PDB file of all heavy atoms in Angstrom:
ATOM      1  N   SER A 248    -106.372  73.294  27.375  1.00  0.00           N
ATOM      2  CA  SER A 248    -106.304  74.752  27.562  1.00  0.00           C
ATOM      3  C   SER A 248    -105.366  75.375  26.549  1.00  0.00           C
ATOM      4  O   SER A 248    -104.221  74.987  26.379  1.00  0.00           O
ATOM      5  CB  SER A 248    -105.784  75.056  28.981  1.00  0.00           C
ATOM      6  OG  SER A 248    -105.725  76.481  29.170  1.00  0.00           O
ATOM      7  N   LEU A 249    -105.945  76.313  25.767  1.00  0.00           N
ATOM      8  CA  LEU A 249    -105.174  77.006  24.730  1.00  0.00           C
ATOM      9  C   LEU A 249    -105.422  78.486  24.827  1.00  0.00           C
ATOM     10  O   LEU A 249    -106.529  78.925  25.218  1.00  0.00           O
ATOM     11  CB  LEU A 249    -105.589  76.472  23.320  1.00  0.00           C
ATOM     12  CG  LEU A 249    -105.297  74.980  23.011  1.00  0.00           C
ATOM     13  CD1 LEU A 249    -105.966  74.639  21.683  1.00  0.00           C
ATOM     14  CD2 LEU A 249    -103.848  74.696  22.974  1.00  0.00           C
ATOM     15  N   PRO A 250    -104.471  79.336  24.409  1.00  0.00           N
ATOM     16  CA  PRO A 250    -104.690  80.744  24.521  1.00  0.00           C
ATOM     17  C   PRO A 250    -105.596  81.294  23.370  1.00  0.00           C
ATOM     18  O   PRO A 250    -105.517  80.909  22.237  1.00  0.00           O
ATOM     19  CB  PRO A 250    -103.250  81.340  24.315  1.00  0.00           C
ATOM     20  CG  PRO A 250    -102.535  80.298  23.533  1.00  0.00           C
ATOM     21  CD  PRO A 250    -103.050  79.010  24.026  1.00  0.00           C
ATOM     22  N   VAL A 251    -106.531  82.158  23.788  1.00  0.00           N
ATOM     23  CA  VAL A 251    -107.373  82.843  22.893  1.00  0.00           C
ATOM     24  C   VAL A 251    -107.235  84.350  23.158  1.00  0.00           C
ATOM     25  O   VAL A 251    -107.525  84.812  24.243  1.00  0.00           O
ATOM     26  CB  VAL A 251    -108.889  82.450  23.048  1.00  0.00           C
ATOM     27  CG1 VAL A 251    -109.782  83.309  22.120  1.00  0.00           C
ATOM     28  CG2 VAL A 251    -109.092  80.976  22.800  1.00  0.00           C
ATOM     29  N   ASP A 252    -106.659  85.023  22.164  1.00  0.00           N
ATOM     30  CA  ASP A 252    -106.302  86.456  22.441  1.00  0.00           C
ATOM     31  C   ASP A 252    -105.430  86.622  23.646  1.00  0.00           C
ATOM     32  O   ASP A 252    -105.542  87.554  24.428  1.00  0.00           O
ATOM     33  CB  ASP A 252    -107.605  87.338  22.572  1.00  0.00           C
ATOM     34  CG  ASP A 252    -108.384  87.379  21.300  1.00  0.00           C
ATOM     35  OD1 ASP A 252    -107.750  87.422  20.187  1.00  0.00           O
ATOM     36  OD2 ASP A 252    -109.624  87.372  21.315  1.00  0.00           O
ATOM     37  N   GLY A 253    -104.561  85.651  23.849  1.00  0.00           N
ATOM     38  CA  GLY A 253    -103.621  85.685  24.942  1.00  0.00           C
ATOM     39  C   GLY A 253    -104.129  85.162  26.278  1.00  0.00           C
ATOM     40  O   GLY A 253    -103.386  85.151  27.263  1.00  0.00           O
ATOM     41  N   VAL A 254    -105.397  84.817  26.338  1.00  0.00           N
ATOM     42  CA  VAL A 254    -106.011  84.372  27.601  1.00  0.00           C
ATOM     43  C   VAL A 254    -106.227  82.887  27.535  1.00  0.00           C
ATOM     44  O   VAL A 254    -106.855  82.370  26.620  1.00  0.00           O
ATOM     45  CB  VAL A 254    -107.385  85.066  27.843  1.00  0.00           C
ATOM     46  CG1 VAL A 254    -108.009  84.535  29.152  1.00  0.00           C
ATOM     47  CG2 VAL A 254    -107.204  86.550  27.856  1.00  0.00           C
ATOM     48  N   PRO A 255    -105.706  82.055  28.587  1.00  0.00           N
ATOM     49  CA  PRO A 255    -105.932  80.599  28.583  1.00  0.00           C
ATOM     50  C   PRO A 255    -107.402  80.333  28.563  1.00  0.00           C
ATOM     51  O   PRO A 255    -108.185  80.879  29.362  1.00  0.00           O
ATOM     52  CB  PRO A 255    -105.259  80.218  29.896  1.00  0.00           C
ATOM     53  CG  PRO A 255    -104.241  81.285  30.197  1.00  0.00           C
ATOM     54  CD  PRO A 255    -104.872  82.544  29.693  1.00  0.00           C
ATOM     55  N   THR A 256    -107.836  79.431  27.686  1.00  0.00           N
ATOM     56  CA  THR A 256    -109.226  79.145  27.425  1.00  0.00           C
ATOM     57  C   THR A 256    -109.435  77.599  27.378  1.00  0.00           C
ATOM     58  O   THR A 256    -108.616  76.942  26.733  1.00  0.00           O
ATOM     59  CB  THR A 256    -109.781  79.821  26.154  1.00  0.00           C
ATOM     60  OG1 THR A 256    -109.573  81.213  26.291  1.00  0.00           O
ATOM     61  CG2 THR A 256    -111.231  79.532  25.994  1.00  0.00           C
ATOM     62  N   ALA A 257    -110.460  77.077  28.010  1.00  0.00           N
ATOM     63  CA  ALA A 257    -110.696  75.633  27.972  1.00  0.00           C
ATOM     64  C   ALA A 257    -111.392  75.241  26.712  1.00  0.00           C
ATOM     65  O   ALA A 257    -112.368  75.903  26.273  1.00  0.00           O
ATOM     66  CB  ALA A 257    -111.488  75.251  29.179  1.00  0.00           C
ATOM     67  N   PHE A 258    -110.917  74.184  26.087  1.00  0.00           N
ATOM     68  CA  PHE A 258    -111.514  73.650  24.875  1.00  0.00           C
ATOM     69  C   PHE A 258    -111.860  72.155  25.106  1.00  0.00           C
ATOM     70  O   PHE A 258    -111.139  71.458  25.802  1.00  0.00           O
ATOM     71  CB  PHE A 258    -110.563  73.747  23.704  1.00  0.00           C
ATOM     72  CG  PHE A 258    -110.449  75.139  23.077  1.00  0.00           C
ATOM     73  CD1 PHE A 258    -109.529  76.044  23.604  1.00  0.00           C
ATOM     74  CD2 PHE A 258    -111.252  75.516  22.008  1.00  0.00           C
ATOM     75  CE1 PHE A 258    -109.421  77.294  23.039  1.00  0.00           C
ATOM     76  CE2 PHE A 258    -111.148  76.793  21.456  1.00  0.00           C
ATOM     77  CZ  PHE A 258    -110.205  77.679  21.973  1.00  0.00           C
ATOM     78  N   HIS A 259    -112.913  71.728  24.435  1.00  0.00           N
ATOM     79  CA  HIS A 259    -113.200  70.303  24.340  1.00  0.00           C
ATOM     80  C   HIS A 259    -112.376  69.762  23.205  1.00  0.00           C
ATOM     81  O   HIS A 259    -112.392  70.356  22.094  1.00  0.00           O
ATOM     82  CB  HIS A 259    -114.702  70.073  24.081  1.00  0.00           C
ATOM     83  CG  HIS A 259    -115.572  70.659  25.151  1.00  0.00           C
ATOM     84  ND1 HIS A 259    -115.888  69.966  26.365  1.00  0.00           N
ATOM     85  CD2 HIS A 259    -116.255  71.790  25.270  1.00  0.00           C
ATOM     86  CE1 HIS A 259    -116.646  70.678  27.116  1.00  0.00           C
ATOM     87  NE2 HIS A 259    -116.910  71.870  26.482  1.00  0.00           N
ATOM     88  N   TYR A 260    -111.773  68.613  23.362  1.00  0.00           N
ATOM     89  CA  TYR A 260    -110.816  68.114  22.426  1.00  0.00           C
ATOM     90  C   TYR A 260    -110.941  66.599  22.234  1.00  0.00           C
ATOM     91  O   TYR A 260    -111.172  65.873  23.201  1.00  0.00           O
ATOM     92  CB  TYR A 260    -109.368  68.428  22.857  1.00  0.00           C
ATOM     93  CG  TYR A 260    -108.266  67.852  22.041  1.00  0.00           C
ATOM     94  CD1 TYR A 260    -107.888  68.421  20.872  1.00  0.00           C
ATOM     95  CD2 TYR A 260    -107.588  66.696  22.444  1.00  0.00           C
ATOM     96  CE1 TYR A 260    -106.867  67.930  20.058  1.00  0.00           C
ATOM     97  CE2 TYR A 260    -106.563  66.153  21.708  1.00  0.00           C
ATOM     98  CZ  TYR A 260    -106.226  66.789  20.479  1.00  0.00           C
ATOM     99  OH  TYR A 260    -105.197  66.251  19.715  1.00  0.00           O
ATOM    100  N   ARG A 261    -110.860  66.154  21.016  1.00  0.00           N
ATOM    101  CA  ARG A 261    -110.827  64.705  20.744  1.00  0.00           C
ATOM    102  C   ARG A 261    -109.967  64.404  19.506  1.00  0.00           C
ATOM    103  O   ARG A 261    -109.797  65.256  18.657  1.00  0.00           O
ATOM    104  CB  ARG A 261    -112.206  64.140  20.543  1.00  0.00           C
ATOM    105  CG  ARG A 261    -112.968  64.611  19.282  1.00  0.00           C
ATOM    106  CD  ARG A 261    -114.335  63.930  19.198  1.00  0.00           C
ATOM    107  NE  ARG A 261    -115.048  64.404  18.004  1.00  0.00           N
ATOM    108  CZ  ARG A 261    -114.987  63.875  16.755  1.00  0.00           C
ATOM    109  NH1 ARG A 261    -114.176  62.819  16.587  1.00  0.00           N
ATOM    110  NH2 ARG A 261    -115.688  64.353  15.804  1.00  0.00           N
ATOM    111  N   GLU A 262    -109.427  63.197  19.508  1.00  0.00           N
ATOM    112  CA  GLU A 262    -108.616  62.746  18.406  1.00  0.00           C
ATOM    113  C   GLU A 262    -109.247  61.512  17.770  1.00  0.00           C
ATOM    114  O   GLU A 262    -109.985  60.753  18.486  1.00  0.00           O
ATOM    115  CB  GLU A 262    -107.210  62.362  18.885  1.00  0.00           C
ATOM    116  CG  GLU A 262    -106.377  63.585  19.326  1.00  0.00           C
ATOM    117  CD  GLU A 262    -104.973  63.133  19.788  1.00  0.00           C
ATOM    118  OE1 GLU A 262    -104.703  61.911  19.742  1.00  0.00           O
ATOM    119  OE2 GLU A 262    -104.194  63.983  20.187  1.00  0.00           O
ATOM    120  N   SER A 263    -109.011  61.262  16.524  1.00  0.00           N
ATOM    121  CA  SER A 263    -109.400  60.054  15.822  1.00  0.00           C
ATOM    122  C   SER A 263    -108.311  59.712  14.872  1.00  0.00           C
ATOM    123  O   SER A 263    -107.297  60.349  14.726  1.00  0.00           O
ATOM    124  CB  SER A 263    -110.704  60.283  15.085  1.00  0.00           C
ATOM    125  OG  SER A 263    -110.479  61.074  13.919  1.00  0.00           O
ATOM    126  N   GLU A 264    -108.495  58.537  14.162  1.00  0.00           N
ATOM    127  CA  GLU A 264    -107.517  58.131  13.186  1.00  0.00           C
ATOM    128  C   GLU A 264    -107.384  59.149  12.014  1.00  0.00           C
ATOM    129  O   GLU A 264    -106.393  59.077  11.244  1.00  0.00           O
ATOM    130  CB  GLU A 264    -107.806  56.782  12.681  1.00  0.00           C
ATOM    131  CG  GLU A 264    -109.195  56.720  11.944  1.00  0.00           C
ATOM    132  CD  GLU A 264    -109.493  55.266  11.434  1.00  0.00           C
ATOM    133  OE1 GLU A 264    -108.566  54.658  10.932  1.00  0.00           O
ATOM    134  OE2 GLU A 264    -110.591  54.835  11.678  1.00  0.00           O
ATOM    135  N   PHE A 265    -108.340  60.059  11.867  1.00  0.00           N
ATOM    136  CA  PHE A 265    -108.389  60.930  10.727  1.00  0.00           C
ATOM    137  C   PHE A 265    -107.775  62.281  11.127  1.00  0.00           C
ATOM    138  O   PHE A 265    -107.512  63.096  10.206  1.00  0.00           O
ATOM    139  CB  PHE A 265    -109.798  61.077  10.226  1.00  0.00           C
ATOM    140  CG  PHE A 265    -110.494  59.771   9.932  1.00  0.00           C
ATOM    141  CD1 PHE A 265    -111.592  59.423  10.609  1.00  0.00           C
ATOM    142  CD2 PHE A 265    -109.934  58.948   8.985  1.00  0.00           C
ATOM    143  CE1 PHE A 265    -112.203  58.199  10.321  1.00  0.00           C
ATOM    144  CE2 PHE A 265    -110.545  57.736   8.689  1.00  0.00           C
ATOM    145  CZ  PHE A 265    -111.700  57.375   9.345  1.00  0.00           C
ATOM    146  N   GLY A 266    -107.675  62.583  12.396  1.00  0.00           N
ATOM    147  CA  GLY A 266    -107.141  63.908  12.784  1.00  0.00           C
ATOM    148  C   GLY A 266    -107.726  64.248  14.158  1.00  0.00           C
ATOM    149  O   GLY A 266    -108.159  63.441  14.910  1.00  0.00           O
ATOM    150  N   TRP A 267    -107.734  65.578  14.446  1.00  0.00           N
ATOM    151  CA  TRP A 267    -108.246  66.011  15.745  1.00  0.00           C
ATOM    152  C   TRP A 267    -109.300  67.125  15.527  1.00  0.00           C
ATOM    153  O   TRP A 267    -109.341  67.774  14.465  1.00  0.00           O
ATOM    154  CB  TRP A 267    -107.103  66.555  16.632  1.00  0.00           C
ATOM    155  CG  TRP A 267    -106.213  67.599  15.968  1.00  0.00           C
ATOM    156  CD1 TRP A 267    -105.004  67.388  15.397  1.00  0.00           C
ATOM    157  CD2 TRP A 267    -106.494  69.023  15.836  1.00  0.00           C
ATOM    158  NE1 TRP A 267    -104.529  68.557  14.890  1.00  0.00           N
ATOM    159  CE2 TRP A 267    -105.364  69.568  15.168  1.00  0.00           C
ATOM    160  CE3 TRP A 267    -107.541  69.848  16.269  1.00  0.00           C
ATOM    161  CZ2 TRP A 267    -105.295  70.914  14.875  1.00  0.00           C
ATOM    162  CZ3 TRP A 267    -107.435  71.196  15.946  1.00  0.00           C
ATOM    163  CH2 TRP A 267    -106.364  71.739  15.255  1.00  0.00           C
ATOM    164  N   VAL A 268    -110.125  67.302  16.558  1.00  0.00           N
ATOM    165  CA  VAL A 268    -111.202  68.295  16.564  1.00  0.00           C
ATOM    166  C   VAL A 268    -111.225  68.939  17.960  1.00  0.00           C
ATOM    167  O   VAL A 268    -111.045  68.265  18.946  1.00  0.00           O
ATOM    168  CB  VAL A 268    -112.551  67.656  16.256  1.00  0.00           C
ATOM    169  CG1 VAL A 268    -113.676  68.642  16.443  1.00  0.00           C
ATOM    170  CG2 VAL A 268    -112.608  67.065  14.827  1.00  0.00           C
ATOM    171  N   LEU A 269    -111.447  70.243  17.997  1.00  0.00           N
ATOM    172  CA  LEU A 269    -111.631  70.942  19.233  1.00  0.00           C
ATOM    173  C   LEU A 269    -112.669  72.047  19.145  1.00  0.00           C
ATOM    174  O   LEU A 269    -112.983  72.455  18.050  1.00  0.00           O
ATOM    175  CB  LEU A 269    -110.343  71.439  19.811  1.00  0.00           C
ATOM    176  CG  LEU A 269    -109.539  72.454  19.041  1.00  0.00           C
ATOM    177  CD1 LEU A 269    -110.089  73.889  19.135  1.00  0.00           C
ATOM    178  CD2 LEU A 269    -108.072  72.485  19.465  1.00  0.00           C
ATOM    179  N   ALA A 270    -113.250  72.450  20.267  1.00  0.00           N
ATOM    180  CA  ALA A 270    -114.250  73.521  20.282  1.00  0.00           C
ATOM    181  C   ALA A 270    -114.309  74.185  21.626  1.00  0.00           C
ATOM    182  O   ALA A 270    -114.133  73.568  22.678  1.00  0.00           O
ATOM    183  CB  ALA A 270    -115.623  72.945  19.928  1.00  0.00           C
ATOM    184  N   GLY A 271    -114.528  75.514  21.624  1.00  0.00           N
ATOM    185  CA  GLY A 271    -114.685  76.284  22.845  1.00  0.00           C
ATOM    186  C   GLY A 271    -115.368  77.598  22.557  1.00  0.00           C
ATOM    187  O   GLY A 271    -115.778  77.915  21.407  1.00  0.00           O
ATOM    188  N   SER A 272    -115.469  78.497  23.530  1.00  0.00           N
ATOM    189  CA  SER A 272    -116.057  79.774  23.388  1.00  0.00           C
ATOM    190  C   SER A 272    -115.077  80.871  23.696  1.00  0.00           C
ATOM    191  O   SER A 272    -114.079  80.686  24.354  1.00  0.00           O
ATOM    192  CB  SER A 272    -117.283  79.889  24.287  1.00  0.00           C
ATOM    193  OG  SER A 272    -118.324  79.007  23.933  1.00  0.00           O
ATOM    194  N   THR A 273    -115.326  82.062  23.164  1.00  0.00           N
ATOM    195  CA  THR A 273    -114.473  83.254  23.388  1.00  0.00           C
ATOM    196  C   THR A 273    -115.289  84.320  24.113  1.00  0.00           C
ATOM    197  O   THR A 273    -116.542  84.273  24.230  1.00  0.00           O
ATOM    198  CB  THR A 273    -113.904  83.813  22.089  1.00  0.00           C
ATOM    199  OG1 THR A 273    -114.964  84.575  21.477  1.00  0.00           O
ATOM    200  CG2 THR A 273    -113.453  82.688  21.183  1.00  0.00           C
ATOM    201  N   SER A 274    -114.553  85.362  24.594  1.00  0.00           N
ATOM    202  CA  SER A 274    -115.238  86.484  25.214  1.00  0.00           C
ATOM    203  C   SER A 274    -115.735  87.505  24.173  1.00  0.00           C
ATOM    204  O   SER A 274    -116.269  88.556  24.503  1.00  0.00           O
ATOM    205  CB  SER A 274    -114.289  87.172  26.202  1.00  0.00           C
ATOM    206  OG  SER A 274    -113.102  87.630  25.509  1.00  0.00           O
ATOM    207  N   ALA A 275    -115.508  87.177  22.871  1.00  0.00           N
ATOM    208  CA  ALA A 275    -115.836  88.119  21.837  1.00  0.00           C
ATOM    209  C   ALA A 275    -117.216  87.808  21.231  1.00  0.00           C
ATOM    210  O   ALA A 275    -117.552  88.340  20.123  1.00  0.00           O
ATOM    211  CB  ALA A 275    -114.748  88.128  20.781  1.00  0.00           C
ATOM    212  N   GLY A 276    -118.009  86.990  21.868  1.00  0.00           N
ATOM    213  CA  GLY A 276    -119.335  86.651  21.365  1.00  0.00           C
ATOM    214  C   GLY A 276    -119.334  85.635  20.240  1.00  0.00           C
ATOM    215  O   GLY A 276    -120.333  85.588  19.448  1.00  0.00           O
ATOM    216  N   VAL A 277    -118.348  84.829  20.127  1.00  0.00           N
ATOM    217  CA  VAL A 277    -118.339  83.767  19.138  1.00  0.00           C
ATOM    218  C   VAL A 277    -117.839  82.434  19.738  1.00  0.00           C
ATOM    219  O   VAL A 277    -117.137  82.442  20.799  1.00  0.00           O
ATOM    220  CB  VAL A 277    -117.416  84.086  17.902  1.00  0.00           C
ATOM    221  CG1 VAL A 277    -117.907  85.361  17.188  1.00  0.00           C
ATOM    222  CG2 VAL A 277    -115.944  84.291  18.341  1.00  0.00           C
ATOM    223  N   HIS A 278    -118.177  81.353  19.108  1.00  0.00           N
ATOM    224  CA  HIS A 278    -117.602  80.017  19.457  1.00  0.00           C
ATOM    225  C   HIS A 278    -116.545  79.738  18.413  1.00  0.00           C
ATOM    226  O   HIS A 278    -116.676  80.116  17.251  1.00  0.00           O
ATOM    227  CB  HIS A 278    -118.715  78.971  19.437  1.00  0.00           C
ATOM    228  CG  HIS A 278    -119.934  79.332  20.282  1.00  0.00           C
ATOM    229  ND1 HIS A 278    -119.829  79.442  21.648  1.00  0.00           N
ATOM    230  CD2 HIS A 278    -121.226  79.593  19.940  1.00  0.00           C
ATOM    231  CE1 HIS A 278    -121.041  79.780  22.182  1.00  0.00           C
ATOM    232  NE2 HIS A 278    -121.831  79.853  21.148  1.00  0.00           N
ATOM    233  N   VAL A 279    -115.519  79.011  18.843  1.00  0.00           N
ATOM    234  CA  VAL A 279    -114.439  78.662  17.942  1.00  0.00           C
ATOM    235  C   VAL A 279    -114.301  77.161  17.927  1.00  0.00           C
ATOM    236  O   VAL A 279    -114.241  76.488  18.979  1.00  0.00           O
ATOM    237  CB  VAL A 279    -113.127  79.282  18.384  1.00  0.00           C
ATOM    238  CG1 VAL A 279    -111.930  78.697  17.618  1.00  0.00           C
ATOM    239  CG2 VAL A 279    -113.177  80.782  18.220  1.00  0.00           C
ATOM    240  N   GLY A 280    -114.248  76.595  16.747  1.00  0.00           N
ATOM    241  CA  GLY A 280    -114.000  75.211  16.554  1.00  0.00           C
ATOM    242  C   GLY A 280    -112.728  75.080  15.679  1.00  0.00           C
ATOM    243  O   GLY A 280    -112.341  76.079  15.026  1.00  0.00           O
ATOM    244  N   ALA A 281    -112.052  73.960  15.713  1.00  0.00           N
ATOM    245  CA  ALA A 281    -110.873  73.804  14.887  1.00  0.00           C
ATOM    246  C   ALA A 281    -110.683  72.281  14.585  1.00  0.00           C
ATOM    247  O   ALA A 281    -111.141  71.448  15.363  1.00  0.00           O
ATOM    248  CB  ALA A 281    -109.639  74.356  15.559  1.00  0.00           C
ATOM    249  N   TYR A 282    -110.065  72.024  13.472  1.00  0.00           N
ATOM    250  CA  TYR A 282    -109.717  70.631  13.167  1.00  0.00           C
ATOM    251  C   TYR A 282    -108.432  70.624  12.354  1.00  0.00           C
ATOM    252  O   TYR A 282    -108.069  71.640  11.735  1.00  0.00           O
ATOM    253  CB  TYR A 282    -110.845  69.895  12.383  1.00  0.00           C
ATOM    254  CG  TYR A 282    -111.209  70.499  11.048  1.00  0.00           C
ATOM    255  CD1 TYR A 282    -110.564  70.036   9.846  1.00  0.00           C
ATOM    256  CD2 TYR A 282    -112.200  71.481  10.915  1.00  0.00           C
ATOM    257  CE1 TYR A 282    -110.941  70.584   8.605  1.00  0.00           C
ATOM    258  CE2 TYR A 282    -112.589  72.052   9.718  1.00  0.00           C
ATOM    259  CZ  TYR A 282    -111.927  71.536   8.565  1.00  0.00           C
ATOM    260  OH  TYR A 282    -112.228  72.077   7.284  1.00  0.00           O
ATOM    261  N   GLY A 283    -107.706  69.525  12.396  1.00  0.00           N
ATOM    262  CA  GLY A 283    -106.481  69.463  11.640  1.00  0.00           C
ATOM    263  C   GLY A 283    -105.866  68.091  11.593  1.00  0.00           C
ATOM    264  O   GLY A 283    -106.393  67.127  12.144  1.00  0.00           O
ATOM    265  N   ARG A 284    -104.787  68.037  10.872  1.00  0.00           N
ATOM    266  CA  ARG A 284    -104.046  66.799  10.703  1.00  0.00           C
ATOM    267  C   ARG A 284    -102.630  67.186  10.369  1.00  0.00           C
ATOM    268  O   ARG A 284    -102.302  68.139   9.626  1.00  0.00           O
ATOM    269  CB  ARG A 284    -104.672  66.040   9.503  1.00  0.00           C
ATOM    270  CG  ARG A 284    -104.189  64.582   9.402  1.00  0.00           C
ATOM    271  CD  ARG A 284    -105.199  63.799   8.504  1.00  0.00           C
ATOM    272  NE  ARG A 284    -105.341  64.321   7.187  1.00  0.00           N
ATOM    273  CZ  ARG A 284    -106.464  64.220   6.479  1.00  0.00           C
ATOM    274  NH1 ARG A 284    -107.539  63.593   6.991  1.00  0.00           N
ATOM    275  NH2 ARG A 284    -106.553  64.706   5.270  1.00  0.00           N
TER     276      ARG A 284
END
């Protein structure tokens, strides 16, 4: 659960040896994904 525009939002999340990936939806008509290291 991470904030999106200040509202707690559920994301799907996974980690690997290369970094992490997550994805969820917003109330603004878009889906948000992210990755990092």
Side-chain angles (χ1 to χ4, degrees):
S248 180
L249 297 172
V251 176
D252 295 322
V254 179
T256 302
F258 284 86
H259 300 277
Y260 174 79
R261 68 178 177 86
E262 293 181 358
S263 73
E264 61 181 315
F265 308 118
W267 52 263
V268 172
L269 60 79
S272 294
T273 77
S274 59
V277 298
H278 307 295
V279 170
Y282 62 91
R284 193 162 57 210

